[in-house]
Amino acid sequence: DVKVTQSSRYLVKRTGEKVFLECVQDMDHENMFWYRQDPGLGLRLIYFSYDVKMKEKGDIPEGYSVSREKKERFSLILESASTNQTSMYLCASSLEGTGNIQYFGAGTRLSVL
Amino acid sequence: LAKTTQPISMDSYEGQEVNITCSHNNIATNDYITWYQQFPSQGPRFIIQGYKTKVTNEVASLFIPADRKSSTLSLPRVSLSDTAVYYCLVGDISSNTGKLIFGQGTTLQVKP
């Protein structure tokens, strides 16, 4: 079974802090994704990566950056956290050539105070 | 930009067939249509994917008309454990746009 592990289930940070959300997958997938999920808005793509050191902006990249130094790890960075970034963050991975079949982690609920 | 629209909620009873429709009028030529199921405190889980016509697997069927502007997820004989939020996803990251658009999700409540 594919396993996508997010480093924290719950995180509380203060406004202005730099925040790192880590995601690791164990199935050698080429593609990795970061989404945020908010009530009534569904899932919105922040960034995705199709290879090591490669990244593409999704629909809502503002205020976020990403890092993919190794194939299995994809990090989401909030350079200066703000209260409007309070949300559920979901990481996913997929195998190249399988369309949109993604495997999701359990999510990190981030609260920015 | 493609927009994906689904009903906010649906109710059903155990043993019934449930059909959830997703509208995606601006679907692009290379876009796949994919459905996910999500339980509370979990990430979404893949159910089924299609490109055109009909796809069936052990848990669901996916019906896609010729114009591909909508799709219908069909769950046969639902049980209480099928109570969840269902999302449709339209897009293809390998295309030039690289866009993936989730619907807002349909909360399915299955009653005894």
Side-chain angles (χ1 to χ4, degrees), chain A residues 2-84:
Chain A
V2 176
K3 188 151 186 176
V4 179
T5 303
Q6 295 184 229
S7 54
S8 306
R9 288 302 303 270
Y10 301 95
L11 214 50
V12 180
K13 297 293 181 180
R14 298 223 174 261
T15 303
E17 277 193 77
K18 189 169 186 175
V19 181
F20 292 87
L21 302 183
E22 306 285 345
C23 175
V24 177
Q25 52 96 1
D26 66 357
M27 283 302 290
D28 204 34
H29 284 176
E30 291 83 6
N31 304 318
M32 296 189 75
F33 309 82
W34 275 106
Y35 295 89
R36 64 176 284 176
Q37 184 174 32
D38 300 290
L41 296 178
L43 285 81
R44 292 179 292 166
L45 182 63
I46 304 172
Y47 269 97
F48 70 94
S49 168
Y50 53 89
D51 202 352
V52 174
K53 298 190 185 295
M54 306 303 290
K55 61 184 179 184
E56 292 286 342
K57 293 180 180 179
D59 298 319
I60 52 166
E62 297 79 18
Y64 303 95
S65 62
V66 290
S67 172
R68 193 166 181 202
E69 296 296 319
K70 294 184 177 181
K71 190 174 186 179
E72 68 271 18
R73 187 180 297 270
F74 193 35
S75 303
L76 180 69
I77 305 155
L78 287 66
E79 293 289 342
S80 178
S82 64
T83 55
N84 63 13

Side-chain angles (χ1 to χ4, degrees), chain A residues 9 31 33 35 37 40-43 45 48 57-59 90 94 97-102 104-106, chain B residues 1 32-34 36 38 41-44 46 49 87 89-93 98-104:
Chain A
R9 288 302 303 270
N31 304 318
F33 309 82
Y35 295 89
Q37 184 174 32
L41 296 178
L43 285 81
L45 182 63
F48 70 94
K57 293 180 180 179
D59 298 319
L90 290 160
S94 73
T98 59
N100 297 328
I101 300 176
Q102 299 178 33
F104 283 83
Chain B
L1 190 63
Y32 290 91
I33 300 161
T34 315
Y36 289 84
Q38 186 178 27
S41 302
Q42 295 183 23
F46 168 77
Q49 176 171 272
Y87 290 96
L89 167 63
V90 175
D92 175 25
I93 64 165
K99 295 299 183 186
L100 298 174
I101 307 296
F102 273 91
Q104 301 97 319

Side-chain angles (χ1 to χ4, degrees), chain B residues 5-6 18 21 31 34 39 47 52-53 58 63 65 71-72 77-78 80-81 89 95 98-100 104 108:
Chain B
T5 306
Q6 351 173 188
V18 170
T21 296
D31 287 350
T34 315
F39 297 112
I47 301 174
K52 61 181 179 180
T53 63
E58 62 275 7
F63 298 92
S71 59
T72 299
R77 297 179 299 281
V78 294
L80 296 176
S81 63
L89 167 63
S95 71
K99 295 299 183 186
L100 298 174
Q104 301 97 319
L108 172 65

Side-chain angles (χ1 to χ4, degrees), chain B residues 3-81:
Chain B
K3 183 173 171 155
T4 307
T5 306
Q6 351 173 188
I8 299 292
S9 63
M10 294 182 71
D11 288 342
S12 182
Y13 291 92
E14 282 191 289
Q16 288 189 333
E17 178 184 76
V18 170
N19 295 309
I20 306 174
T21 296
C22 183
S23 171
H24 28 80
N25 290 323
N26 296 327
I27 189 169
T29 303
N30 293 333
D31 287 350
Y32 290 91
I33 300 161
T34 315
W35 284 82
Y36 289 84
Q37 176 191 56
Q38 186 178 27
F39 297 112
S41 302
Q42 295 183 23
R45 184 181 70 166
F46 168 77
I47 301 174
I48 196 166
Q49 176 171 272
Y51 182 78
K52 61 181 179 180
T53 63
K54 177 184 173 182
V55 180
T56 297
N57 63 21
E58 62 275 7
V59 298
S61 294
L62 179 59
F63 298 92
I64 305 169
D67 66 6
R68 302 201 328 122
K69 294 188 176 187
S70 66
S71 59
T72 299
L73 173 72
S74 181
L75 304 172
R77 297 179 299 281
V78 294
S79 64
L80 296 176
S81 63

